[in-house]
Amino acid sequence: EMKIHHVGYYVQDIKKARNIFSMMGFDEESEEIYDEERGINVLFLTNGENRIELIEKCTEESDVDFIAKGKRSMPYHICYEVNNMEESVDFLKQNRFIVIKKPSNAIAIQNRKVAFLYCKECGLIELVEK
């Protein structure tokens, strides 16, 4: 079973985006976190049971380079929470998903394992292990 954990938004300016989402009823769930390994700033916001992740590129070689080329703020992935990362990745690979970023710990989500996969029918998804 895969439950939606959050929707990831690439934004050009995390502080300006936070202000706009705040106006739309979102509250900060976390502090803004700099993820040095991925070259991004991250901020989680919630509105009821809905959670979004704002992602701002900080370095030229950041993990969002393949998205940020368009330079527009936009949602670009849905993250699903899974019980077992290896089993979930294997299952998706058997169903035409390609691993874009192998499982690794993410500082912005309490060092839980995350992985990114892609398939042409649904685009980019992220998995986060419970």
Side-chain angles (χ1 to χ4, degrees):
E1 178 185 333
M2 292 188 188
K3 179 184 168 206
I4 292 178
H5 183 269
H6 68 263
V7 174
Y9 277 79
Y10 166 73
V11 297
Q12 294 172 3
D13 184 317
I14 206 165
K15 288 170 182 48
K16 288 181 181 175
R18 179 196 63 212
N19 293 339
I20 296 296
F21 280 103
S22 176
M23 181 188 73
M24 295 188 300
F26 282 84
D27 297 314
E28 290 186 25
E29 182 183 52
S30 68
E31 297 287 316
E32 185 179 318
I33 297 168
Y34 175 58
D35 186 332
E36 187 173 1
E37 185 179 321
R38 292 173 174 82
I40 56 176
N41 282 325
V42 174
L43 178 65
F44 282 95
L45 305 172
T46 57
N47 180 335
E49 293 191 14
N50 300 307
R51 178 185 294 116
I52 60 173
E53 175 189 32
L54 303 182
I55 303 143
E56 174 186 65
K57 177 180 171 178
C58 296
T59 64
E60 285 308 309
E61 296 300 316
S62 81
D63 272 6
V64 294
D65 269 353
F66 65 101
I67 295 298
K69 295 205 185 314
K71 303 283 191 260
R72 281 190 234 135
S73 297
M74 63 181 177
Y76 79 97
H77 75 262
I78 296 178
C79 177
Y80 297 91
E81 196 169 45
V82 297
N83 291 320
N84 184 301
M85 181 65 72
E86 284 183 30
E87 285 178 11
S88 298
V89 168
D90 287 344
F91 172 76
L92 291 169
K93 282 168 58 177
Q94 291 167 23
N95 287 279
R96 300 198 322 264
F97 278 79
I98 299 163
V99 175
I100 300 293
K101 191 88 173 151
K102 291 180 181 173
S104 64
N105 295 344
I107 190 171
I109 313 180
Q110 299 85 41
N111 278 318
R112 290 160 70 182
K113 272 189 191 168
V114 301
F116 284 88
L117 297 96
Y118 175 85
C119 91
K120 67 179 183 176
E121 288 79 17
C122 73
L124 186 70
I125 66 167
E126 178 181 18
L127 301 180
V128 60
E129 195 168 56
K130 285 187 182 176

